[in-house]
Amino acid sequence: MTTISTAAAPPGHATSRAGRLTAAAMTATVLLWASAFVAIRAVGHDVDPGPLTLGRVVVGSATLTVMLLVVRTRRRVRAARPTGTPTGTPVGAPSAAASPAGPRRSAVPRGRVLALVLVWGVAWFGAYNLTLNAAEQHLDAGTTALLVNIAPMLVAVLAGLLLGEGFPRRLLVGIAVAFAGVVVIAAATSSGRFDAVGVVLGLVSAVLYAGAATLQKRLLPHVDALTMTWLGCLAGTVASLPFLPGLVDQLSVASSATVLGIVYLGVFPTAIAFSTWGYVLTRASAGRTAATTYAVPAVVVLLSWTLLAEVPAPAALLGGVLALAGVAVATLPPRRRRPPAGAVPSA
């Protein structure tokens, strides 16, 4: 007689595993996006902002296409397996197809959702990258990262106003502490000069970042994160095609290090980091997720110090500590209060 195992994982096991995966994805996003500021600064000496944008999103689109094909092939293989209750599944347990989360949203969206995804892609992968690249023609990597990371405050405000996420006290306190760290780092910028054009471009990047993150949060219930990232990167690529002649001309005389830098930007900070960002955004609030990226400037300062010899002042390091402290306050879940002794739990 065949025995069907009825052992099930503890209720909190799946939740804790999902929490670890979300934390790992957010860590990857922060580290890869931080490295992008340094790579843009290094490559920007040989490639103009427009051609650099096109080169990055072309590589990103190709990488995302491969990632999407791999994921969909694996799903088709799993779907083609014979149906039946797998070993270890409790009798009467719902199957994956009937899970509360519903079917996977892997199809290309249509109509209004598709139009908004394309607009999001042009803004996020096209305009944001263009203004960011241009800003780093005027400012060092650390200062640019500080300006761009004003965006989480804007995301939190937009999420509270438009997405109904509200303004939790921990989030507001964390943003205030992290912003204080940003101000301290900005006051101790390694370049020691004020470039109005660079500052304006950095602030425009922050506005584009905030708007794109908020719109993405609203669209993710209708399209899965990887498909949306792929479509958005393709839209950004098409919008950047006017820079193709410049890209061809500049790559023809560029060093191999410059070409590898563009490939790195397309594969890691674009294809991988934007995908992990979307994964996190489907599992956390927009304001709380964006607040986590306050760690980016601190990482950028350390990387630019090591790789570009842009040595930060001691005050900048203090600001980085403050920024990380703000991230912890904003993102760590509040402690659950224990019920008083003898209290009867509610049904």
Side-chain angles (χ1 to χ4, degrees):
M1 182 177 66
T2 303
T3 302
I4 300 176
S5 172
T6 58
H13 178 73
T15 302
S16 62
R17 182 175 181 273
R20 289 194 298 270
L21 288 175
T22 302
M26 193 66 247
T27 300
T29 303
V30 167
L31 293 176
L32 292 177
W33 278 359
S35 72
F37 286 91
V38 179
I40 290 169
R41 180 73 171 165
V43 173
H45 295 295
D46 300 321
V47 184
D48 292 334
L52 177 55
T53 299
L54 177 59
R56 176 176 176 175
V57 294
V58 163
V59 175
S61 295
T63 306
L64 285 163
T65 300
V66 173
M67 291 169 61
L68 192 68
L69 289 174
V70 170
V71 169
R72 291 190 173 183
T73 299
R74 291 181 62 185
R75 289 178 181 174
R76 282 197 296 268
V77 169
R78 285 199 299 265
R81 290 175 181 171
T83 58
T85 304
T87 302
T89 301
V91 177
S95 64
S99 65
R104 289 188 176 96
R105 293 163 282 105
S106 58
V108 175
R110 299 180 181 180
R112 181 173 176 270
V113 172
L114 177 59
L116 289 174
V117 168
L118 297 180
V119 169
W120 168 80
V122 171
W124 200 207
F125 292 93
Y128 168 78
N129 279 326
L130 180 61
T131 55
L132 176 62
N133 296 340
E136 293 207 48
Q137 296 282 334
H138 299 267
L139 302 172
D140 61 86
T143 302
T144 307
L146 297 168
L147 290 169
V148 171
N149 275 274
I150 295 174
M153 286 192 307
L154 302 177
V155 171
V157 172
L158 290 174
L161 294 175
L162 302 179
L163 303 183
E165 293 183 2
F167 300 92
R169 185 173 61 181
R170 288 176 62 89
L171 178 60
L172 294 177
V173 171
I175 287 176
V177 173
F179 182 68
V182 168
V183 171
V184 171
I185 301 176
T189 176
S190 58
S191 65
R193 62 187 178 87
F194 182 83
D195 189 311
V197 174
V199 169
V200 170
L201 288 168
L203 293 175
V204 171
S205 299
V207 172
L208 289 167
Y209 168 4
T214 306
L215 179 58
Q216 184 178 12
K217 182 65 175 178
R218 299 201 69 169
L219 291 173
L220 281 172
H222 307 286
V223 56
D224 72 280
L226 182 57
T227 300
M228 182 175 180
T229 304
W230 172 67
L231 288 171
C233 199
L234 286 177
T237 300
V238 172
S240 303
L241 284 178
F243 299 112
L244 181 58
L247 178 63
V248 173
D249 291 341
Q250 292 174 28
L251 286 184
S252 65
V253 296
S255 65
S256 57
T258 297
V259 175
L260 288 175
I262 294 175
V263 172
Y264 173 84
L265 284 167
V267 174
F268 294 97
T270 302
I272 295 178
F274 276 87
S275 297
T276 53
W277 163 265
Y279 175 88
V280 174
L281 203 57
T282 59
R283 291 158 175 80
S285 70
R288 195 174 298 276
T289 303
T292 310
T293 62
Y294 267 122
V296 169
V299 178
V300 172
V301 168
L302 293 175
L303 288 176
S304 61
W305 181 9
T306 304
L307 301 176
L308 302 179
E310 294 176 349
V311 182
L317 297 179
L318 174 61
V321 172
L322 280 174
L324 292 174
V327 171
V329 172
T331 58
L332 290 178
R335 293 182 179 179
R336 293 183 178 179
R337 294 181 179 179
R338 293 183 178 180
V344 179
S346 58

